[in-house]
Amino acid sequence: MKKYRIGIVGATGAVGQEIINLLEKREFPVAEARLLASSRSAGREIQACGNLEVVQETTPESFKNLDIAIFSAGSSNTQEFAEIARRNDCVVIDNSSAFRMEKDVPLVIPEINGDALESHKGIIANPNCSTAVALMALFPLHKRFGLKRFFASTYQAVSGAGAEGVTELEDQVKSKITGQTTEAKSDPVFQHPIAFNLIPHIDDFREDGYTKEELKMRNETKKILGLPSLQVSCTCVRVPVYRAHSISINAEFDSPVNVPDARTALENFNGIELWDLPNALRYPMPINYSEKELCGVGRLRLDHGFSNGLALWTVGDQLWKGAALNAVQIAEELINRKCLKNL
Ligand code: A2P
């Protein structure tokens, strides 16, 4: 079996670590795992794909003799290095928002629009974490009933803000419980306390009052589903949960809807599980969907606010399906479809 040389940019971060885990877990055929990060981490040793690897500083030379580079180090690093990687015949799979809306860059959730990979030109974008989780639930319903518009409210875990977001929540919880005040951080991850609180604001505000994160749900959904006139309104909220994003969705469809057909559509779709038995108190929760490849869907019901509407609740591990897993699945799909440049 052919094996591939993979670079992981941001290998020391929250998503980078999960990429390493998932390459191992899914037995990706790795010939070389090149761990790339900032100069701060250069020299650190990390176990990856069966070997103890030394983390290297990311430089323009880092992309020589690689087949694929998965980037998870923020937009500015992608902007600096993605083009260099591409010129070295290394296909880029990027977790940041840097290229998602570019016309020539496929924005891919393999279960939904894997065919978009066939026309890639060296850079492929991974969607925003909440968009990926929401669309895993919405796509099978769209296929069955035709999506007209939807409203989404997200409940986003602190690990979505990186490893430091988790530490900040932990520190605040400890200091609340022990009563010991810690020195205020000069550059906190969250602009308000996150312990025993929630923050209805993720990423910068725009002039229309929405945040950039909320806009990602709207624009990326249109691109992935190929529905340019779809109406989407979203409110994104940071909650004091370690891991897995939850999303409440109210969706209107073109055709008449019914719950049994909606259940069948969801049950038959790869990548999600219907976890919906209200009488048994069974519905997806972040605690049950952390480190899980499937996203869960529950609380499925007719939406009384629309004539053809469904209301539902979905939960998915944003570090996995919302980032690392989706990226590794894209790499697998590039190989399956024989559209990796170097094949
Ligand atoms: P480092 O650990 O050396 O700072 P998270 O999202 O968890 O905060 O992780 C961000 C990731 O991006 C880390 O692996 C971090 O590496 C990496 N990173 C930050 N700045 C750079 C840079 N200039 N070049 C390459 N990787 C970077």
Side-chain angles (χ1 to χ4, degrees), residues 19-271:
I19 290 169
I20 296 169
N21 288 343
L22 287 162
L23 289 171
E24 287 172 3
K25 179 173 179 284
R26 293 173 69 87
E27 298 180 0
F28 190 93
V30 175
E32 177 192 342
R34 197 174 297 169
L35 308 188
L36 303 165
S38 77
S39 55
R40 291 179 294 273
S41 305
R44 228 179 103 183
E45 291 183 327
I46 295 181
Q47 197 68 39
C49 305
N51 294 312
L52 193 62
E53 301 287 352
V54 179
V55 177
Q56 304 173 24
E57 178 182 357
T58 314
T59 69
E61 305 303 305
S62 305
F63 302 95
K64 295 210 163 113
N65 303 318
L66 279 183
D67 300 301
I68 301 173
I70 306 182
F71 279 64
S72 276
S75 288
S76 58
N77 288 307
T78 295
Q79 265 149 352
E80 186 176 350
F81 294 113
E83 194 49 50
I84 298 170
R86 171 162 58 180
R87 269 192 258 124
N88 278 281
D89 263 353
C90 164
V91 176
V92 171
I93 302 170
D94 180 34
N95 273 301
S96 83
S97 59
F99 295 110
R100 285 182 194 148
M101 298 313 296
E102 303 256 320
K103 198 166 160 285
D104 280 345
V105 175
L107 178 61
V108 174
I109 299 174
E111 294 90 338
I112 297 177
N113 65 337
D115 53 347
L117 290 172
E118 313 229 340
S119 56
H120 81 83
K121 296 187 167 50
I123 300 180
I124 296 145
N126 219 25
N128 165 263
C129 45
S130 295
T131 308
V133 173
L135 291 195
M136 287 299 287
L138 275 172
F139 180 68
L141 300 173
H142 165 57
K143 290 259 285 185
R144 176 66 185 78
F145 304 115
L147 188 59
K148 189 170 170 192
R149 63 175 158 157
F150 73 92
F151 302 100
S153 299
T154 72
Y155 302 67
Q156 298 185 211
V158 290
S159 49
E164 283 185 24
V166 176
T167 315
E168 194 160 302
L169 171 61
E170 277 176 349
D171 289 348
Q172 289 179 7
V173 168
K174 273 186 219 148
S175 76
K176 275 262 182 211
I177 287 173
T178 59
Q180 284 172 346
T181 48
T182 48
E183 211 177 299
K185 278 167 73 180
S186 59
D187 188 16
V189 179
F190 306 113
Q191 285 116 335
H192 298 281
I194 186 64
F196 309 105
N197 193 21
L198 54 80
I199 305 170
H201 158 209
I202 297 173
D203 209 340
D204 297 336
F205 280 105
R206 292 159 20 100
E207 269 190 4
D208 64 1
Y210 282 88
T211 63
K212 284 189 183 166
E213 182 85 352
E214 291 159 353
L215 202 70
K216 289 173 195 166
M217 176 77 84
R218 191 176 86 190
N219 292 342
E220 294 179 22
T221 297
K222 291 180 184 196
K223 179 167 175 176
I224 294 166
L225 298 186
L227 296 173
S229 48
L230 184 73
Q231 292 174 292
V232 180
S233 180
C234 178
T235 302
C236 291
V237 182
R238 183 75 66 196
V239 295
V241 164
Y242 274 149
R243 185 164 170 158
H245 288 357
S246 307
I247 309 168
S248 168
I249 299 174
N250 301 80
E252 187 183 25
F253 297 87
D254 292 323
S255 323
V257 294
N258 65 77
V259 170
D261 284 357
R263 290 182 69 94
T264 304
L266 289 163
E267 276 164 350
N268 291 337
F269 187 62
N270 232 352

Side-chain angles (χ1 to χ4, degrees), residues 301-330:
R301 59 210 190 272
L302 291 179
D303 190 318
H304 293 163
F306 301 117
S307 26
N308 292 327
L310 290 167
L312 55 134
W313 172 258
T314 181
V315 180
D317 186 327
Q318 93 289 351
L319 293 177
W320 279 21
K321 189 58 194 167
L325 172 63
N326 201 67
V328 172
Q329 287 176 313
I330 288 174

